[in-house]
Amino acid sequence: MNKTLVAGALALTLAGCASQQPAPPFTLTLAHINDTHSHFDPSDARLTLDHKAVFTRLGGHPRLLSHVNELRRQAEEAEQPLLFVHGGDAWQGTGYFTLNQGAMNADVLSRMQLDAMALGNHEFDIDNQRLAAFIQGVNFPVLAANLDASHDPDLKGLENLKPYVLYAFDGHEKERVDSVKDAGKRPVVAVMGLVLEDMPDMAAHTGNLRFEREVDSAQRTVRALREQGVKQIVAVTHLGLERDQRLAREVNGIDVIVGGHSHSLLGQFSNLGWADGAPYARQFTNPDGRGITCVVQAGQFAQAMGQVSVTFTPDGRVSRCEGGNTLLSDNVFYRDIRRGEQHRLNEQQTQRLKAEIASQPNIAMVAEDPALRAHIDKQYLPALNRAYGEVIGHLPQALKHVRLPVDGSGSQIAPLVAASQLYWANTPEVLAVTGRRADFALVAAGSVRNSLEPGALKEGHVGLELLPFANPISLVSLTGRQVAGLLLETINASLPADAHTGKFPYAAGLRYTFNETSKGRGYLDRIEFLSQGHWQRIEPDTRYQVVLNSYHASGNDGWSTFFDSQQAFTDRLDLAFTNGKLTAFPVARLSKVNGGGVQVHYINQPLNCQDQAVRCNTDARAFIDYVRERRPMLTALPESGVTLKRL
């Protein structure tokens, strides 16, 4: 037989065998961040390294960019697919946002070359016109499959606001495609977005938007993607860890959920002196008993980046999902939070710490991207420095803010915010306007945005960072029975694992004890208010004058008792400055608008916080006046008024 023919036949046989070999498994890497909240600069942090407390700085967007660029380099070298996504809440958090109103977020995030971002609740903090400018201004898709914007004049028709996007991969090379057909034989990954179905209860400005149920919308979107032939589906969500896990259990076909909203730093971090989080890349079985969904989230404030590697079977099911969160550290360390040059560790101590960090799986020293650092310093930092204003007091030591009390220790700042509002409402200047003395103050934990570090406290630290929402202070009456109902509804809603704990109530002039009787439920053992220096029991049918910010006075964020009590009529007063003069704006009643948002009906002139002559930030003004006049050396109050007894 002709040897050439034999060789040719053998080659054909081998080629035929090779063509029958199964395709290699598809593996995708997801780099992810969430709840960055305008933390473009690094955050101060305390770590335990080499059995000692050390202080450094973590994260910031230039450091995030350096880290993700290294992951991109590794993916290119290994010819592996990679996507970089954001789980929402890029807005709010620092003075950068207050000064730039989303424009800086669009600028900086676009320089980071994200592949997709979910809408967070804080993206709705200004108005839909400003949100539309942000969505149109970024160079990556903004996703929300369960958002109907067809009736909203600002967001309807935006090309960059999508339910999902498709990426086709050839090794590490990726391309946005309109359909599976356009991808040819290349593997396709769909990235879909999900936003909070109860957004109108959490966000002040949702306009005419409609928010559909998360589970129903997710399943409908997955079904549509599967019908197109998409095998790999990633959901980028801003729902919180508890709802992400529910989504994984109740929806068939989502392979990975990259979440946000609950600020959950998943993984074990006790090796660094931090609390351990829930497991990273925990897998849940879908209702069909076959599919697996992997759930991840990466903490808060641009301090960490998550990296998850997912391998799929040929029919698109998850066969492996693993990874972790990495805290991104500076390479300069101090032994004192004040970070003076005298506190800086010497070279020998620093080298020992660097070796310790190199041995840990969940922290890495990462240099900032020099170009992005220089851009922020030139374009935005000078205005930020100018805006911080005068020194109003000093902190001898750090004051910590935590939303939910843990092991009997709660926020040190929220009680001070409540105390400032109670103090301010009862000053002669305010009493002359309201004619009413406040009995006690209530503050939701989510109203307070950060902890405070030792050193000088400036006006800008309060108005731009601590209380950045520029909320008017409200004075409204509730019965003792309604006060108890409010405490029960907000505490019970905050207790489940990884619940949205921004609802949790702190107080001044009021104290309570709550006993948990079963997981996530309990009862109030004691409610008392301070009257003429003595604690007295709250009486069910007595009316009390309560001071709080107007956002929660309208029943937003699950403080529903306030909305329920003001639907027919109310004695509420909202307080703001008009042309520099403190003015009371009487409220007639509250109602719900289409989509579920709350509308405040004023008796006379409505309060328009967008008016140039109006300053609504009386919540920040109250704290500034309180520190300057009563607490120039700012320390924690002797007691928080909150006793939370957990099982």
Side-chain angles (χ1 to χ4, degrees), residues 142-266:
V142 179
L143 307 179
N146 61 326
L147 172 64
D148 178 3
S150 61
H151 300 282
D152 187 88
D154 297 306
L155 296 185
K156 69 178 181 181
L158 292 187
E159 292 186 0
N160 205 33
L161 177 60
K162 300 176 179 293
Y164 61 83
V165 288
L166 304 178
Y167 284 98
F169 284 94
D170 181 8
H172 75 283
E173 297 285 347
K174 64 176 178 284
E175 179 189 6
R176 280 260 304 274
V177 295
D178 294 328
S179 69
V180 175
K181 182 178 180 181
D182 292 341
K185 295 183 178 180
R186 292 175 294 173
V188 173
V189 176
V191 184
M192 59 183 280
L194 289 169
V195 299
L196 290 157
E197 62 188 36
D198 52 349
M199 187 75 79
D201 292 333
M202 305 192 71
H205 305 286
T206 54
N208 294 318
L209 300 172
R210 298 177 181 176
F211 298 86
E212 301 170 357
R213 292 181 63 83
E214 298 148 7
V215 169
D216 297 342
S217 182
Q219 190 63 79
R220 185 168 60 251
T221 305
V222 169
R223 191 178 302 115
L225 290 168
R226 295 293 191 202
E227 289 172 355
Q228 294 180 42
V230 178
K231 293 182 177 180
Q232 289 84 216
I233 298 176
V234 175
V236 183
T237 74
H238 195 80
L239 310 179
L241 185 60
E242 184 180 26
R243 291 196 194 183
D244 283 342
Q245 293 175 349
R246 182 191 70 171
L247 203 67
R249 293 187 183 101
E250 297 184 11
V251 176
N252 291 313
I254 300 176
D255 299 304
V256 188
I257 296 174
V258 180
H261 187 54
S262 55
H263 295 214
S264 302
L265 183 65
L266 302 183

Side-chain angles (χ1 to χ4, degrees), residues 18 187 215 245 271 314 320 333 384 437 439 445 485 590 610 614 631:
V215 169
Q245 293 175 349
N271 61 314
R320 183 181 62 87
F333 302 93
L384 184 75
R437 179 168 291 277
D439 293 307
L590 305 179
Q610 306 305 315
V614 177
R631 302 292 296 276

Side-chain angles (χ1 to χ4, degrees), residues 385-412:
N385 288 336
R386 289 193 298 271
Y388 273 76
E390 296 180 0
V391 173
I392 59 172
H394 290 81
L395 284 82
Q397 59 187 26
L399 293 177
K400 192 74 174 173
H401 176 57
V402 295
R403 292 185 170 192
L404 189 69
V406 178
D407 297 329
S409 178
S411 173
Q412 295 176 303

Side-chain angles (χ1 to χ4, degrees), residues 21 69 74 100 133 206 298 309 340 351 367 403 480 502 519 530 538 542 548 576 589 605 633:
Q21 295 296 315
N69 280 341
Q74 294 173 10
N100 297 285
T206 54
S309 177
Q351 290 304 319
R403 292 185 170 192
K519 285 296 183 183
L530 191 61
I538 290 281
T542 300
L548 72 166
R589 62 183 179 87
Q605 177 187 2
M633 189 59 68

Side-chain angles (χ1 to χ4, degrees), residues 190 249 262 291 392 401 485 534 562 566 569 609:
R249 293 187 183 101
S262 55
I392 59 172
H401 176 57
H534 301 284
F562 275 103
Q566 298 177 75
F569 61 89
C609 291

